[in-house]
Amino acid sequence: GENVEQHPSTLSVQEGDSAVIKCTYSDSASNYFPWYKQELGKRPQLIIDIRSNVGEKKDQRIAVTLNKTAKHFSLHITETQPEDSAVYFCAAPTPINTGFQKLVFGTGTRLLVSP
Amino acid sequence: DAGVIQSPRHEVTEMGQEVTLRCKPISGHDYLFWYRQTMMRGLELLIYFNNNVPIDDSGMPEDRFSAKMPNASFSTLKIQPSEPRDSAVYFCASSLPGQRSEAFFGQGTRLTVV
């Protein structure tokens, strides 16, 4: 099965700085890598995802990069703002014989952006 | 659509009591997932259903945990008897078919077993 490791567990930055969160996965058959953001006391919500046929995807201040050879992917947040403070989870799927992939989540990164 | 709806939002119960958590997925979503979130273990997948059928329950921690999905619009997660170490936030999520479908989470149920 899939094993997803996420680093760092906590990250503190000043407003305006960049933040990078990294994840590694073990199953080379995985082909979909989403990132979820969970604000305090709220539900996880998808913020960006990447398919295995591309190396990078951007959406305004957030971007995700994928290195399939090394089996790692990263979330990049530029020009961080206090409202970016949250816990971020990466995920990778475990392919199963039904054709559906169940998501395995990383342990989360608590990002704190100080004004 | 109101999204995935879970009830109750908070549950406090005494050790040994039965606890039932409820979930209504988004209409049209064929997949339903139950996750448990704790500080120590993060987000753990307990069980998931496809078209009301349990597909993988390998994440269910013990026989004290059981889940059902009697129809496409309702699922329950039951713990009997409950123990203090079951205290966590339990999330239900649903998604459309497809290997790369977004999982939509409910608001979660915060369970405290004293």
Side-chain angles (χ1 to χ4, degrees), chain B residues 63-84:
Chain B
D63 291 345
R64 299 184 296 106
F65 287 69
S66 62
K68 295 182 179 179
M69 192 165 186
N71 57 62
S73 60
F74 183 66
S75 177
T76 59
L77 177 68
K78 183 179 294 186
I79 308 172
Q80 180 185 22
S82 58
E83 296 183 4

Side-chain angles (χ1 to χ4, degrees), chain A residues 28-56:
Chain A
S28 57
S30 295
N31 57 10
Y32 169 64
F33 306 93
W35 285 89
Y36 285 76
K37 175 183 180 182
Q38 185 179 25
E39 296 177 354
L40 186 62
K42 297 189 176 180
R43 75 189 85 187
Q45 291 187 289
L46 180 72
I47 55 171
I48 194 169
D49 57 24
I50 190 168
R51 272 58 167 165
S52 60
N53 58 343
V54 297
E56 183 176 9

Side-chain angles (χ1 to χ4, degrees), chain A residues 31 36 38 43 96 99 102, chain B residues 37 48 56 99 103 105 107:
Chain A
N31 57 10
Y36 285 76
Q38 185 179 25
R43 75 189 85 187
I96 54 178
K102 66 177 186 180
Chain B
Q37 186 175 34
Y48 78 95
D56 185 346
Q99 296 183 354
F105 284 79
Q107 294 277 34

Side-chain angles (χ1 to χ4, degrees), chain A residues 95-110:
Chain A
I96 54 178
N97 56 13
T98 63
F100 188 77
Q101 299 171 330
K102 66 177 186 180
L103 285 178
V104 176
F105 283 88
T107 49
T109 296
R110 185 173 299 278

Side-chain angles (χ1 to χ4, degrees), chain B residues 27-43:
Chain B
S27 177
H29 282 193
D30 291 353
Y31 286 88
L32 184 140
F33 309 85
W34 281 101
Y35 288 90
R36 177 172 68 177
Q37 186 175 34
T38 61
M39 288 294 293
M40 292 297 295
R41 302 173 70 89
L43 267 172

Side-chain angles (χ1 to χ4, degrees), chain A residues 66-87:
Chain A
L66 171 65
N67 184 326
K68 286 215 72 178
T69 302
K71 289 192 277 190
H72 66 71
F73 56 111
S74 301
L75 178 70
H76 304 254
I77 306 175
T78 59
E79 300 174 27
T80 53
Q81 301 169 2
E83 51 265 39
D84 294 330
S85 296
V87 178

